[in-house]
């Protein structure tokens, strides 16, 4: 098992030949544990309405200049249908933390999709009550994705203003999610102003301790119309030697280390990575630990409004154009698109052992 100190020393590694060894090792573990098939996930960004005021995020409630939307049920069903028709086995329904989001409305959409289409559903709707999470799970949602962003509580408190009646840290919510039987996903941003090397090493160690099924981490991309983005543009973090840079190479190091500490997890090559290297980010991610790729199925008219950070990759690319680009990319890598819902190997093993323990308890 890789110790925290070893993770830390890899994060600091600068030597390109040594890093190649790390990347090759991550690629070999990926091939041995989860195979060569790449899972394609259809992303539906169904609402940008948000009550949170995260200092890093362009969709924060305080950004009143951003027009807000929520897709209708018919629009969501049409996007889900597009995923099914193109053979993507999973849709990821993501949104801001919409206070007006009626949990029954979403539950009903989830159950309609599950009834009509052979799709796994991942929800990513931010911090929700246990009651809401349970309702969606009962309606048929398979997976929930909630990045804890950083395990450093002081940094978390700085970038994430507390909401009244909602004191919980995301790590606590992840325990509920797991407890409810969801396939559980999380991750962090890399290079958040104020993030130290040792905090990032601790984050990766948390991935292992949480036994996550899906782990998506991407670089922090400054948004000029946010408090953190403004501070970043003033260069307030540059002087600090403890500061993790929000660079492409740091992202690959984190992805490779994530694969080594969580060999059976599903790991996406993220859109934020493709944003900072549009030409090669996606493919390099897939060669350095990742086995999942996102395809954006949000209707084109809404995409610019889901502005977590600026100049997001693929913002104007049609589903057909994305499909063709991804097919070329996979062919170049000698990889294939996975068929089926693509549950994480980690989840399959984890749920088998839960069932076995349960059976033993019953027979004892
Ligand atoms: N409301 C949901 C979905 C948020 S968007 C939630 O809170 O979970 C999904 C992810 O985008 C966030 O978890 C965060 O890690 C990432 N993100 C937000 N702002 C970002 C930025 N400026 N740069 C890079 N990633 C960002």
């Amino acid at each position: 098992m890789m110790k925290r100190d070893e993770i830390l020393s890899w994060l600091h590694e600068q030597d390109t030949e040594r890093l190649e060894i790390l990347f090759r090792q991550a690629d070999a573990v990926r091939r041995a544990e989860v195979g060569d098939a790449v899972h394609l996930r259809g992303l539906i960004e169904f609402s940008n309405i948000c009550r949170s005021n995260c200092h890093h995020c362009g969709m924060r409630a305080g950004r009143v200049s951003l027009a807000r939307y929520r897709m209708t049920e018919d629009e969501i069903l049409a996007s889900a249908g597009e995923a099914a028709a193109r053979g993507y086995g999973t849709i990821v329904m993501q949104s801001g933390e919409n206070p007006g989001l009626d949990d029954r409305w979403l539950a009903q959409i989830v159950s309609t999709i599950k009834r009509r289409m052979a799709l796994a559903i991942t929800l990513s709707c931010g911090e929700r009550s246990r009651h809401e999470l349970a309702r969606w799970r009962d309606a048929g949602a398979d997976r929930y994705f909630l990045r804890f962003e950083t395990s450093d509580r002081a940094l978390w408190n700085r970038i994430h203003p507390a909401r009244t009646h909602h004191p919980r840290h995301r790590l606590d919510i992840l325990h509920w999610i797991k407890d409810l039987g969801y396939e559980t996903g999380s991750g962090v941003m890399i290079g958040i102003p104020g993030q130290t090397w040792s905090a990032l090493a601790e984050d990766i160690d948390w991935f292992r301790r949480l036994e996550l099924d899906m782990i998506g981490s991407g670089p922090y991309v400054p948004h000029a119309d946010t408090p953190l983005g403004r501070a970043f543009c003033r260069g307030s973090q540059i002087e600090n030697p403890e500061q993790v840079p929000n660079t492409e190479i740091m992202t690959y190091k984190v992805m490779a280390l994530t694969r080594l500490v969580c060999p059976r997890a599903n790991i996406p090559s993220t859109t934020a990575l493709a944003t900072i290297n549009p030409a090669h980010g996606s493919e390099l991610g897939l060669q350095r630990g990742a086995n999942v790729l996102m395809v954006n199925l949000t209707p084109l008219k809404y995409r610019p409004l889901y502005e977590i950070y600026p100049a997001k990759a693929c913002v104007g690319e049609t589903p057909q154009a994305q499909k063709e680009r991804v097919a070329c990319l996979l062919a170049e890598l000698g990889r294939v698109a996975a068929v089926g819902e693509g549950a994480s190997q980690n989840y399959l093993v984890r749920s088998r052992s839960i069932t076995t323990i349960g059976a033993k308890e019953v027979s004892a």
Side-chain angles (χ1 to χ4, degrees):
M1 188 181 79
M2 194 182 273
K3 295 254 170 43
R4 222 182 125 279
D5 285 352
E6 204 183 333
I7 297 175
L8 185 58
S9 101
W10 274 119
L11 289 176
H12 278 294
E13 185 61 63
Q14 304 260 18
D15 184 285
T16 42
E17 276 172 34
R18 297 245 325 135
L19 283 175
E20 263 322 305
I21 296 172
L22 174 72
F23 296 152
R24 271 204 297 273
Q25 203 184 340
D27 199 41
V29 170
R30 187 269 310 150
R31 181 172 303 122
E33 300 288 343
V34 297
D36 271 335
V38 175
H39 302 287
L40 304 178
R41 313 297 198 206
L43 177 64
I44 307 174
E45 298 154 328
F46 69 92
S47 172
N48 69 350
I49 301 172
C50 195
R51 66 184 151 194
S52 261
N53 250 318
C54 303
H55 286 196
H56 50 85
C57 182
M59 269 168 20
R60 63 200 305 273
R63 219 175 140 229
V64 289
S65 61
L66 182 70
R68 305 284 168 162
Y69 72 91
R70 188 180 84 180
M71 287 169 65
T72 64
E73 176 171 351
D74 285 346
E75 286 173 327
I76 296 173
L77 292 177
S79 289
E82 184 123 38
R86 288 175 193 278
Y88 308 144
T90 297
I91 51 167
V92 179
M93 295 182 60
Q94 196 179 74
S95 70
E97 286 176 12
N98 183 344
L101 181 69
D102 177 356
D103 55 342
R104 277 164 303 195
W105 174 81
L106 185 56
Q108 189 243 314
I109 293 176
V110 165
S111 69
T112 305
I113 295 172
K114 292 299 288 184
R115 223 178 24 251
R116 292 194 196 159
M117 305 170 207
L119 287 173
I121 300 182
T122 303
L123 295 179
S124 176
C125 310
E127 297 162 36
R128 297 284 163 180
S129 69
R130 187 171 174 126
H131 172 78
E132 289 167 308
L133 293 166
R135 190 187 286 272
W136 297 333
R137 178 77 184 133
D138 288 344
D142 303 273
R143 309 173 187 154
Y144 202 93
F145 185 76
L146 181 75
R147 285 186 177 173
F148 63 80
E149 318 289 8
T150 172
S151 59
D152 176 344
R153 296 222 174 202
L155 175 58
W156 171 251
N157 290 335
R158 280 206 299 282
I159 64 170
H160 182 269
R163 288 201 330 252
T164 28
H165 313 305
H166 197 86
R168 286 184 174 271
H169 188 274
R170 288 187 164 196
L171 285 170
D172 302 323
I173 301 175
L174 283 168
H175 287 299
W176 292 345
I177 292 170
K178 210 163 184 189
D179 209 36
L180 290 166
Y182 279 106
E183 205 174 312
T184 305
S186 194
V188 297
M189 283 182 291
I190 299 152
I192 309 167
Q195 186 182 48
T196 63
W197 299 90
S198 58
L200 184 56
E202 186 70 21
D203 293 344
I204 296 171
D205 203 45
W206 265 108
F207 297 162
R208 180 183 59 74
R209 277 182 272 166
L210 289 165
E211 293 184 68
L212 292 171
D213 305 309
M214 313 176 277
I215 308 162
S217 301
Y220 163 70
V221 184
H223 189 303
D225 197 16
T226 60
L228 207 64
R230 281 191 284 274
F232 185 93
C233 297
R234 286 196 302 272
S236 53
Q237 74 294 335
I238 293 170
E239 302 302 326
N240 183 0
E242 278 303 304
Q243 171 68 48
V244 171
N246 61 336
T247 54
E248 191 183 349
I249 193 74
M250 281 307 302
T251 308
Y252 299 133
K253 289 187 209 177
V254 170
M255 290 172 74
L257 290 165
T258 302
R259 173 59 67 199
L260 296 181
V261 300
C262 298
R264 297 195 189 109
N266 276 341
I267 300 179
S269 189
T270 60
T271 309
L273 171 59
T275 298
I276 61 171
N277 182 352
H280 301 294
S282 296
E283 75 196 56
L284 286 168
L286 287 172
Q287 290 173 298
R288 294 170 173 182
N291 68 323
V292 173
L293 210 53
M294 311 299 296
V295 181
N296 197 327
L297 298 180
T298 311
L300 282 161
K301 65 176 175 187
Y302 295 126
R303 284 203 217 158
L305 301 176
Y306 202 83
E307 198 193 33
I308 307 170
Y309 47 81
K312 221 166 54 174
C314 328
V315 74
E317 208 178 21
T318 63
Q320 183 59 29
Q322 287 181 85
K323 189 173 172 129
E324 286 163 14
R325 178 175 50 75
V326 167
C328 286
L329 190 154
L330 295 185
E332 270 171 36
L333 292 176
R335 307 265 282 272
V336 288
V339 255
E341 297 187 355
S344 140
Q345 290 299 323
N346 193 67
Y347 182 74
L348 296 175
V349 171
R350 188 159 77 73
S351 33
R352 262 204 301 278
S353 65
I354 294 167
T355 320
T356 323
I357 294 164
K360 273 193 201 127
E361 277 167 1
V362 170
S363 62

